[in-house]
Amino acid sequence: MTNKNDKTATLSLGGENYDFPVYEASVGPDVIDISTLYAKTDNFTYDPGFTSTASCESKITYIDGNKGVLLYRGYPIGELAENASFLEVCFLLLNGELPNEEEKDEFEHAITYHTMLHDQMVTLFNGFRRDAHPMAIMVGVVGALSAFYHDSTDVTDAQQRLIASRRLIAKMPTIAAMAYKYSVGQPFVAPRNDLDYASNFLHMCFSVPTEEYKVNPIAAEAMDRIFTLHADHEQNASTSTVRLAGSSGANPFACIAAGIACLWGPAHGGANEACLKMLTEIGTVDRIPEFIARAKDKSDPFRLMGFGHRVYKNFDPRATIMQQTSRDVLKELNVQDPLLDVAVELERIALEDEYFVEKKLYPNIDFYSGITLRALGFPTSMFTVLFALARTVGWISQWNEMIEDPKQKIGRPRQIYTGETLRDFKPMNKR
C-alpha cells in the first residue's frame, strides 16, 4: 500500500476533526486506514458483513464486479482458463509468476508424487456413516491431516509452509475421490503418477477394479477448467474464514478445514447444487414458463438459482468460459438427461427475456458448472466438494500471504453492544 500524495480523510466528530491516511490501490478502490480510529476517538465503525471494509492487503486476486473483471495475479481469468493448466495456475497463485519450463516440471512432479494418503487414513473414512454427506467427510479428513503430517504444521517455518501447501494441493483430489467412492459404496482407487491432475482425479472417482477405465480428454479438460475458474475469488466468506483461523497461528490443515466448513454453506459454495435442485423441481421443459412467471412475481419466494451474482453486477467472466465448456462436454459425451434439456432451454429463455436482460440476471458460473458436473457423472452432493478441491490453492495462497504480512494481527472484529446494561444479581430464596 502507498500514500503517494499524502491523501487523508477527515472525520468530524463531537466538534473535533480527525485525519486518517488514504492508501492507493494498484487498481480498484483506495482505502481509508482507520486502524487508529478507536485510539483517537473511542469509537468503532459498523459494517455488517464487512462489505465496505478491507481486512487485509493482498496481491493475489482482483475483482471488478461492475465491469465483469477477474484477475489472478494480474492475468485475466479467461486467458488463464484457455491457455494454462490448473497446476500452472496453482504455481502462479502461490508464487506470483507463471512457471518457466524447469519450474513447471519440478512443481508438477512434486504434486504428482505426493497424491497418496497415509494408509491409516482409510480407517478414518470407515468411521463415517455410509450416508454421510461428502462435505462432512471432507471437513473431518482434511482437519485430521495435521495428526498425520507433523513435519509441516509450524507456520513460522517457510519450508514447512511450502511442504504443507504442496501436500494440500496434491492430496485434496485423493481425499475428494475417496469421499465420493465411500458415499457410493465402491472401493477406493489409488492415484496414478502417469496421469495429469484432472485425469487422475476423474480416474480415482470413476474407475472400478473390474474393468479398464479410460479418461475422456474432453472431460479432463473440462475438469481442469472448472478447477481454474474456482481457484480463488478474493476475500470471500471461506477465504476470510481461512485467514481469520490462520491469524491465530492455527496449523494449515485446520485452517483449510475451516474454509471447507464455511464453503459448505448454501449461500456460498452450495449455489451450483441449489441450481440443480431447482432444475429438478422444474422437472420438464414444458413447465419452464410457469417457473419463469414465478421468478418475476415479487410475492412468490421462488428464485431462479444460478442467475445473477452478488459480486458481478454486469456478467460473470467465468460463466463465458464455462458456457462453452459445458456445451463441449454435452456434445462429446452425448448425455441424454431431461434435466440438462431443461437447463439449456432455461438458459435460452433467460438470455432473451426482457425481464432478465434488463436486470442483468445472466446465467453465472454455478449454472454452467452444475450442468457440466452432472454431465460428467457427479451427484449434486459432490458439487461443493469439487469447489473445495479447486479453491484449496486459493485458500493456501491467501494463508501464506497473511502469514508473511508483518502488519497482520490476530482477527478481532468489534461490535456495537445493544444488550442489557449492568444489573444486580438477585438469588432465588433458598429452600
Side-chain angles (χ1 to χ4, degrees):
M1 289 188 298
T2 59
N3 190 355
K4 297 178 180 177
N5 301 315
D6 294 323
K7 292 196 298 185
T8 59
T10 301
L11 171 67
S12 296
L13 184 65
E16 295 287 337
N17 290 333
Y18 303 92
D19 291 332
F20 300 95
V22 177
Y23 296 113
E24 295 183 355
S26 57
V27 61
D30 295 340
V31 299
I32 303 169
D33 181 358
I34 58 168
S35 57
T36 60
L37 177 70
Y38 180 48
K40 288 181 176 180
T41 71
D42 200 32
N43 283 270
F44 299 143
T45 57
Y46 183 58
D47 183 20
F50 309 112
T51 56
S52 296
T53 299
S55 61
C56 63
E57 178 183 355
S58 182
K59 297 180 174 66
I60 299 173
T61 303
Y62 173 71
I63 297 172
D64 186 330
N66 293 321
K67 296 180 180 178
V69 172
L70 171 60
L71 306 178
Y72 289 171
R73 299 286 192 178
Y75 291 99
I77 186 61
E79 293 183 18
L80 291 173
E82 291 286 348
N83 301 298
S85 70
F86 176 64
L87 285 186
E88 288 177 291
V89 171
C90 288
F91 187 94
L92 170 68
L93 291 173
L94 285 169
N95 300 287
E97 299 291 343
L98 287 166
N100 57 35
E101 285 298 324
E102 182 179 348
E103 291 169 332
K104 178 183 176 183
D105 290 344
E106 188 278 330
F107 184 71
E108 289 182 349
H109 183 274
I111 299 302
T112 301
Y113 283 82
H114 286 85
T115 51
M116 290 181 64
L117 293 182
H118 194 289
D119 188 61
Q120 282 184 282
M121 296 200 79
V122 174
T123 305
L124 184 60
F125 276 88
N126 290 330
F128 290 98
R129 285 173 52 121
R130 282 289 180 180
D131 60 353
H133 195 289
M135 279 296 281
I137 297 175
M138 292 291 288
V139 172
V141 173
V142 173
L145 288 173
S146 58
F148 291 85
Y149 300 104
H150 306 286
D151 61 341
S152 55
T153 56
D154 182 357
V155 301
T156 65
D157 186 325
Q159 182 61 24
Q160 290 199 31
R161 293 201 306 273
L162 173 65
I163 294 171
S165 300
R166 293 185 169 195
R167 273 180 174 156
L168 280 160
I169 295 169
K171 299 180 189 304
M172 196 64 76
T174 309
I175 296 172
M178 291 175 73
Y180 171 67
K181 285 296 194 183
Y182 190 77
S183 70
V184 296
Q186 293 182 2
F188 298 139
V189 176
R192 281 175 42 179
N193 294 341
D194 62 322
L195 296 176
D196 63 71
Y197 193 83
S199 297
N200 183 43
F201 174 65
L202 291 174
H203 186 270
M204 287 190 290
C205 285
F206 298 122
S207 65
V208 291
T210 52
E211 60 184 51
E212 184 181 1
Y213 175 81
K214 292 185 178 180
V215 180
N216 186 304
I218 299 296
E221 182 181 9
M223 197 78 261
D224 196 79
R225 281 187 178 177
I226 288 174
F227 291 158
T228 291
L229 295 172
H230 288 88
D232 197 52
H233 211 236
E234 212 189 74
Q235 304 307 316
N236 54 79
S238 57
T239 299
S240 297
T241 297
V242 170
R243 278 183 173 263
L244 185 61
S247 73
S248 73
N251 72 75
F253 306 111
C255 294
I256 300 306
I260 295 171
C262 180
L263 188 70
W264 195 1
H268 189 12
N272 50 13
E273 185 174 348
C275 180
L276 260 293
K277 288 181 179 178
M278 175 200 70
L279 294 176
T280 302
E281 183 182 359
I282 296 174
T284 56
V285 171
D286 60 288
R287 296 190 67 199
I288 290 177
E290 170 193 343
F291 285 87
I292 291 287
R294 289 182 59 188
K296 295 178 182 180
D297 185 353
K298 294 181 179 179
S299 63
D300 193 316
F302 175 78
R303 294 290 180 269
L304 283 178
M305 303 302 296
F307 291 82
H309 196 280
R310 180 184 177 185
V311 174
Y312 299 108
K313 305 306 180 185
N314 193 352
F315 69 95
D316 184 343
R318 302 167 298 173
T320 305
I321 305 128
M322 200 66 246
Q323 179 191 52
Q324 185 58 52
T325 301
S326 175
R327 290 172 178 169
D328 291 344
V329 169
L330 293 177
K331 180 180 179 181
E332 171 69 18
L333 302 183
N334 193 27
V335 178
Q336 302 300 317
D337 187 334
L339 287 193
L340 298 181
D341 294 337
V342 172
V344 171
E345 179 62 12
L346 186 60
E347 175 203 20
R348 184 192 68 77
I349 293 174
L351 291 175
E352 296 177 358
D353 191 289
E354 289 184 8
Y355 175 85
F356 296 100
V357 173
E358 180 183 347
K359 293 183 177 295
K360 298 181 179 179
L361 294 176
Y362 303 114
N364 59 35
I365 188 173
D366 298 310
F367 181 82
Y368 293 114
S369 65
I371 297 171
T372 307
L373 293 175
R374 182 178 176 90
L376 290 174
F378 289 102
T380 55
S381 61
M382 278 294 293
F383 288 3
T384 315
V385 172
L386 301 181
F387 196 161
L389 193 172
R391 185 56 57 86
T392 295
V393 65
W395 288 334
I396 206 69
S397 299
Q398 299 272 353
W399 174 80
N400 268 304
E401 184 179 63
M402 180 210 63
I403 295 294
E404 295 172 353
D405 185 353
K407 298 186 294 296
Q408 187 64 39
K409 302 177 181 178
I410 184 171
R412 181 60 171 86
R414 298 296 190 167
Q415 66 176 21
I416 176 171
Y417 178 71
T418 56
E420 297 288 344
T421 56
L422 182 64
R423 296 192 285 183
D424 293 327
F425 177 74
K426 296 179 181 179
M428 292 185 292
N429 294 330
K430 294 182 179 180
R431 296 181 180 178

